[in-house]
Amino acid sequence: MDEMEEELKCPVCGSFFREPIILPCSHNICLACARNILVQTPDAESPQSSRASGSGVSDYDYLDLDKMSLYSEADSGYGSYGGFVSAPTTPCQKSPNGVRVFPPTVPHPPQAQHHLLPHTGVLPPVPRNSCLTCPQCHRSLTLDDRGLRGFPKNRVLEGVVDRYQQSKAAALKCQLCEKSPREATVMCEQCDVFYCDPCRLRCHPPRGPLAKHRLVPPAQGRISRRASPRKISTCTEHELENLSMYCVQCKTPVCYQCLEDGKHSTHEVKALGAMWKLHKGQLSQALNVLSDRATEAKEFLVQLRNMVQHIQENGVEFEACLVAQCDALIEALNRRKAQLLSRVTKEHEHKLSVVRDQISHCTVKLRQTTGLMEYCLEVIKENDPSGFLQISDALIRRVHMTENQWGKGSLTPRMSSDFDLTLDSGPLLQTIHQLDFVQMKVPAAPILQLEECCTQTNSATLSWKQPPLSTIAVEGYILELDDGTGGQFREVYVGIEMICTVDGLHFNSTYKSRVKAFNSSGVGQYSKTLVMQTSEIAWFTFDPVSAHPDIILSNDNLTVTCNSYDDRVVMGNTGFSRGVHYWEMTIDRYDNHPDPAFGIARADVMKDVMLGKDDKAWAMYVDNNRSWFMHNNSHTNRTDGGISKGATVGVLLDFSRGILLFLINDEQQGPVAFNTLEGMYYPAISLNRNVQVTLHSGLPIPDFYTPGESEAAGSVC
C-alpha cells in the first residue's frame, strides 16, 4: 500500500487528492488546485478577473457568482479562491511532487486556500475565457461556460484515497488543518469532512445553510462513511438525469436525455453495467501481464545485486593479482604500479556506477509499476460503474504503457561483472615505463541473428552480432559455408562487416554456415551452425546488366526483343553448375524468317554475334524449316523442323550426364546436342528485331527424359 501512495497525491499540492476532477488528458487534480493554477487569456480579461488579480482583493468582489460555480448543501462546503494568472508568462514552479505548476499572481495565505466566501458556503466564480494547463502533461485546456464543473469528479479515486487514509490513520485527523493536523472532534455528514474545534468554528459556523448540517463524532462518521451506499451518478449535462448508458465513440457514461437530444444521439451506446464489466476484465488482463513484468523486474534486481557482489569480488581479486605482480618487479615498477591501480579502481568504480545506476533506475520503475498495480486493483474493487468507466481507459493505457517500458532490453544488464584486463608481467626492464594493460583474450563467439538470416532463390544472407556483454576488441569476422552436400567448410567472407550476402549457391541444396571473430590475440570460437535451404526450383529472368545495349526487355525482364537487325545476346541472371534444369521460351513474334539461337554460355561470351559463334557458347539456331547445333562457329546436326509464331523452344541441361539437348513444341529436336559439359553456364539467347520471345523458368523435367542421377541444382559460389 505504501508504494501506491504517490498515485493518490495531487501533482500540484503534493497532498492526498481532495475532490479530484478528471481532466480531458485523463490526469487528475484537486478541484481547489485547479482553481489555483487557472490562467485567464489577456485578450478577453474581464473586470472581475482584473480585480481578482489585483493587490487589494476583497471577499465581496466575488458576490456576482458564476452559476456553474455554485455548490449545493450536499457538497463539501469548502473550496479555494486563489488568484488567477493574468498572463501566460508567469514563471513556473515545482510542487512538492516535483511537477511543474503555474502559481497565481496574487499569493494567498495558506489558511485561505480552502475557505468559503463569506455567508455563502460556495466557491468563487471562474473568470470567463479561462484556461488550465495540466501539471503533468502540460496540455492546455480551455474552460467552457460551465467552468471547472464541466470536468467530471473522480469518485473512484476519492474513495480509494479515503480508504487509504483510514487504513493509515490510527486517530482521525482534521482535514482542514494546514500544518500538524489536530485530532478531529466532529464530522459533518453533509460535507463529509472531519473538523477539529478551531476549524469547525472558522469554516463550519452553525448559522445559515450550515445550521441544518448534522455533526457527529469522528468514530461514528467513519462508520457511516464506510457504510454509505453507492452514490447515484448524475449527468454533467443534465443534472437531474442519472447516468445509465455508455457512449462507445466518446468513451463516457451518458444519460437518456443525452441520447435523445444531445450530441450522443447518433453515437453507438451500450449498457453501463456491461461496459463496466468489460473494462474491468480488460484492466484485469492488462494487470496480469504487468504483474508478470513486475515479477521479472524483481528477479532482475536480484541479478543486478548479485552482480554488484561479483564485481566487488572480481575487483578485489584483480587488485590483489595486480599488486602481487607489481611487488615482484624492481623498484622502478612501483611508480607505474600506482597508475595501474588507479586504472583498475576506475574500471571497478565505473562498473559499479553503471550497475548501481541501473538498479536505482529499475527500482524506481518497479516502485511506480507496483504502485500503479495496487492503485488499479483498488480501482477494480470499486462498485461505481460510471466512475470506473471515467478512468478505466486511461488506466488501461497506463498499464499498457508501463508494460511496454519493461520491454526488450530493459531487463538486460548494461555492464559485465568480468574484468577483461590482464597484466603482462614479462617485459624487459628498459620497457617498464610502457607497461600497460593488454588484451590477451580472443573474441567471444558471435551470435547469429536468426530473424535477419534468410535465403532467396540461390542466394543466402547472414547477419550476426557480438555478445551483448563482451568488451573484447574485434578486428574482423570470418564467414564459412560448406558445399551444400555436407562437405568441408570454406571461407566465403573475411571483413569487419556483420552482414553478408552470398550469391551463386546451388538450388535445392542445404547449406551449413558459421562465423567466428578474430583480433591480434587470435581467432575466437565459432558461432552456432545455421542450416539454410536454397530454392528448390531455379527461377530466373533475363539479366539487363550483362545484356547487349540493343536488347529490349519487358514484362519484368521475362520478354526480350532487339532494336537491331544484327543478332544480339542476352543471358539469364542465374548460373548453373550442378543438377538438372529445364526452361522454355515462347515465340511471341516471328517476322521475315530470322534464325534466333537458344542455349547456354559462359559469363564472358561475345554479345554482338550469334550465340555459338565463339567457344563460350553452346546453342541451337533455328529458322522456319530446320535447325543446327553450333559451338565455336562449328555447325552440326542439321535437323528438319522449324519455328513460327506461338512455337515453344525448350532447353534441358543435365549436369549428372554433362549433356545439353533441345526441344521444339515438346518434341526433342535432333540428338543430344552437346556432352562433357562442366563448370558454370548461364541460359542465353541471341535474336534480332524480327523476333520476340518470353521466358518460362522453373519448369519440371519433361516426362520422356530420365536423369542419370538425382542431384541438387545450383552453382559454385
Side-chain angles (χ1 to χ4, degrees):
M1 294 290 286
D2 292 338
E3 295 173 337
M4 184 180 63
E5 187 169 312
E6 292 301 321
E7 294 282 340
L8 309 180
K9 290 185 177 180
C10 175
V12 176
C13 63
S15 301
F16 287 107
F17 282 107
R18 298 173 65 181
E19 293 190 286
I21 58 175
I22 307 174
L23 303 181
C25 57
S26 301
H27 293 129
N28 298 284
I29 187 175
C30 296
L31 179 61
C33 294
R35 285 186 165 274
N36 285 339
I37 64 175
L38 276 175
V39 176
Q40 184 178 6
T41 54
D43 57 342
E45 188 172 359
S46 63
Q48 288 86 353
S49 63
S50 300
R51 291 196 303 270
S53 60
S55 58
V57 179
S58 171
D59 291 342
Y60 294 95
D61 290 337
Y62 296 104
L63 292 180
D64 185 15
L65 299 177
D66 186 287
K67 65 177 182 177
M68 304 308 292
S69 301
L70 292 175
Y71 275 18
S72 68
E73 290 187 2
D75 285 327
S76 64
Y78 60 90
S80 166
Y81 59 96
F84 307 106
V85 176
S86 59
T89 57
T90 304
C92 69
Q93 299 178 359
K94 286 194 174 182
S95 72
N97 282 0
V99 179
R100 292 195 308 156
V101 297
F102 299 89
T105 54
V106 181
H108 294 276
Q111 63 271 17
Q113 291 194 4
H114 294 291
H115 283 186
L116 305 171
L117 290 180
H119 313 299
T120 63
V122 296
L123 287 169
V126 175
R128 300 181 182 274
N129 302 309
S130 297
C131 66
L132 178 67
T133 299
C134 175
Q136 290 186 279
C137 64
H138 309 297
R139 175 182 172 185
S140 295
L141 311 169
T142 302
L143 276 64
D144 56 17
D145 293 338
R146 295 174 297 168
L148 292 177
R149 295 194 64 185
F151 299 130
K153 294 181 180 180
N154 193 338
R155 296 185 302 277
V156 173
L157 176 58
E158 195 171 12
V160 174
V161 171
D162 185 56
R163 290 199 304 270
Y164 180 81
Q165 289 180 315
Q166 291 181 17
S167 66
K168 288 294 183 181
L172 294 174
K173 300 293 184 179
C174 176
Q175 294 179 261
L176 297 185
C177 291
E178 293 294 335
K179 297 181 179 179
S180 301
R182 291 180 286 269
E183 186 173 349
T185 57
V186 295
M187 175 203 173
C188 176
E189 289 187 337
Q190 284 71 36
C191 298
D192 195 23
V193 176
F194 291 93
Y195 297 93
C196 64
D197 287 335
C199 291
R200 177 180 58 81
L201 295 175
R202 184 175 69 253
C203 301
H204 201 285
R207 61 179 181 269
L210 300 179
K212 300 179 181 180
H213 289 196
R214 181 170 177 240
L215 302 179
V216 297
Q220 181 180 346
R222 171 186 282 180
I223 296 174
S224 62
R225 176 181 284 185
R226 289 180 177 175
S228 61
R230 188 178 73 193
K231 295 181 180 179
I232 299 178
S233 304
T234 58
C235 180
T236 56
E237 299 283 346
H238 314 95
E239 296 184 357
L240 299 180
E241 297 290 335
N242 296 334
L243 297 172
S244 57
M245 303 297 288
Y246 180 79
C247 178
V248 178
Q249 181 174 340
C250 300
K251 297 183 178 181
T252 183
V254 295
C255 67
Y256 279 107
Q257 190 170 347
C258 291
L259 303 180
E260 294 177 358
D261 56 6
K263 63 179 180 180
H264 307 279
S265 58
T266 60
H267 295 176
E268 179 187 359
V269 295
K270 292 187 178 181
L272 193 67
M275 293 303 296
W276 177 32
K277 294 180 180 179
L278 175 62
H279 281 227
K280 273 197 173 185
Q282 292 176 351
L283 181 57
S284 298
Q285 292 176 358
L287 279 177
N288 290 335
V289 178
L290 185 59
S291 177
D292 294 338
R293 289 293 185 182
T295 302
E296 294 177 6
K298 291 178 181 178
E299 296 173 353
F300 180 61
L301 280 175
V302 174
Q303 179 185 355
L304 291 179
R305 292 189 177 99
N306 292 336
M307 285 187 64
V308 171
Q309 181 64 27
H310 293 158
I311 291 175
Q312 291 175 338
E313 293 174 355
N314 292 341
V316 172
E317 180 181 354
F318 190 81
E319 290 179 4
C321 179
L322 177 63
V323 171
Q325 289 178 336
C326 290
D327 289 343
L329 299 176
I330 58 176
E331 184 61 26
L333 292 175
N334 290 329
R335 293 188 298 270
R336 188 64 175 170
K337 179 176 65 175
Q339 299 176 8
L340 297 176
L341 281 173
S342 176
R343 288 273 304 276
V344 174
T345 302
K346 289 181 180 179
E347 180 73 9
H348 179 196
E349 292 175 350
H350 172 67
K351 289 179 179 289
L352 290 177
S353 175
V354 171
V355 176
R356 285 170 175 162
D357 179 69
Q358 191 173 11
I359 290 175
S360 176
H361 178 70
C362 189
T363 301
V364 172
K365 288 178 59 179
L366 180 59
R367 181 180 180 88
Q368 295 173 350
T369 300
T370 306
L372 177 59
M373 290 169 54
E374 293 182 356
Y375 171 56
C376 291
L377 291 175
E378 290 296 326
V379 169
I380 291 177
K381 296 177 183 178
E382 288 295 314
N383 58 357
D384 182 355
S386 61
F388 178 85
L389 291 174
Q390 287 175 331
I391 64 174
S392 59
D393 281 301
L395 284 179
I396 292 171
R397 289 195 300 271
R398 285 187 62 192
V399 170
H400 284 305
M401 290 174 59
T402 305
E403 190 272 333
N404 290 335
Q405 292 176 0
W406 292 108
K408 182 178 180 181
S410 63
L411 301 181
T412 302
R414 300 174 185 169
M415 180 63 64
S416 170
S417 60
D418 296 329
F419 284 76
D420 299 319
L421 298 172
T422 302
L423 182 64
D424 183 4
S425 59
L428 299 175
L429 183 61
Q430 58 269 29
T431 60
I432 194 168
H433 292 289
Q434 286 77 40
L435 184 65
D436 202 349
F437 292 109
V438 295
Q439 288 184 337
M440 298 295 292
K441 295 182 179 180
V442 297
I447 300 175
L448 287 170
Q449 296 184 276
L450 302 181
E451 65 276 6
E452 298 182 14
C453 298
C454 62
T455 60
Q456 185 176 9
T457 62
N458 65 332
S459 298
T461 299
L462 295 103
S463 177
W464 60 89
K465 64 180 180 180
Q466 277 297 104
L469 299 182
S470 176
T471 58
I472 303 175
V474 175
E475 297 179 6
Y477 300 92
I478 301 173
L479 175 62
E480 296 181 356
L481 267 71
D482 68 355
D483 60 359
T485 60
Q488 300 252 342
F489 281 92
R490 63 191 187 282
E491 295 181 2
V492 296
Y493 169 76
V494 178
I496 193 61
E497 299 296 332
M498 291 188 287
I499 186 170
C500 177
T501 298
V502 183
D503 297 319
L505 301 176
H506 300 305
F507 286 93
N508 194 24
S509 298
T510 301
Y511 284 90
K512 295 179 180 179
S513 59
R514 62 188 185 185
V515 64
K516 58 184 177 181
F518 64 87
N519 59 16
S520 57
S521 298
V523 180
Q525 296 291 322
Y526 283 108
S527 67
K528 293 183 178 180
T529 300
L530 177 64
V531 179
M532 298 179 297
Q533 175 73 35
T534 55
S535 177
E536 182 178 355
I537 299 177
W539 298 95
F540 62 91
T541 64
F542 291 119
D543 183 14
V545 177
S546 62
H548 190 279
D550 293 338
I551 290 293
I552 301 174
L553 295 172
S554 60
N555 188 25
D556 293 330
N557 297 330
L558 293 175
T559 300
V560 61
T561 187
C562 182
N563 60 10
S564 172
Y565 285 105
D566 297 323
D567 290 308
R568 299 293 185 247
V569 174
V570 59
M571 297 191 302
N573 61 359
T574 299
F576 305 122
S577 64
R578 191 173 69 184
V580 182
H581 308 276
Y582 178 71
W583 63 94
E584 292 180 347
M585 282 164 280
T586 302
I587 309 301
D588 301 327
R589 179 169 52 82
Y590 188 77
D591 303 328
N592 302 324
H593 309 303
D595 47 0
F598 308 87
I600 59 175
R602 303 287 191 186
D604 54 349
V605 67
M606 296 174 62
K607 306 292 193 333
D608 55 355
V609 296
M610 179 184 287
L611 192 68
K613 286 286 187 179
D614 61 2
D615 62 349
K616 308 295 186 185
W618 294 256
M620 175 189 73
Y621 68 94
V622 57
D623 58 17
N624 61 319
N625 291 320
R626 62 192 66 85
S627 66
W628 292 265
F629 301 146
M630 183 167 62
H631 169 65
N632 199 18
N633 205 25
S634 174
H635 308 255
T636 61
N637 297 97
R638 170 179 167 175
T639 305
D640 292 335
I643 60 174
S644 60
K645 180 179 179 181
T648 299
V649 177
V651 181
L652 194 152
L653 176 61
D654 184 357
F655 284 100
S656 63
R657 293 180 178 178
I659 64 173
L660 177 70
L661 57 86
F662 298 93
L663 293 82
I664 295 180
N665 296 328
D666 299 326
E667 296 291 336
Q668 183 172 340
Q669 183 73 357
V672 173
F674 304 99
N675 51 32
T676 65
L677 297 175
E678 293 181 353
M680 172 76 72
Y681 300 94
Y682 292 85
I685 179 177
S686 66
L687 73 173
N688 62 18
R689 64 184 303 166
N690 293 318
V691 184
Q692 176 176 301
V693 302
T694 296
L695 171 66
H696 306 278
S697 63
L699 301 178
I701 300 171
D703 295 336
F704 75 88
Y705 184 77
T706 302
E709 61 184 79
S710 178
E711 186 172 323
S715 63
V716 176
C717 298

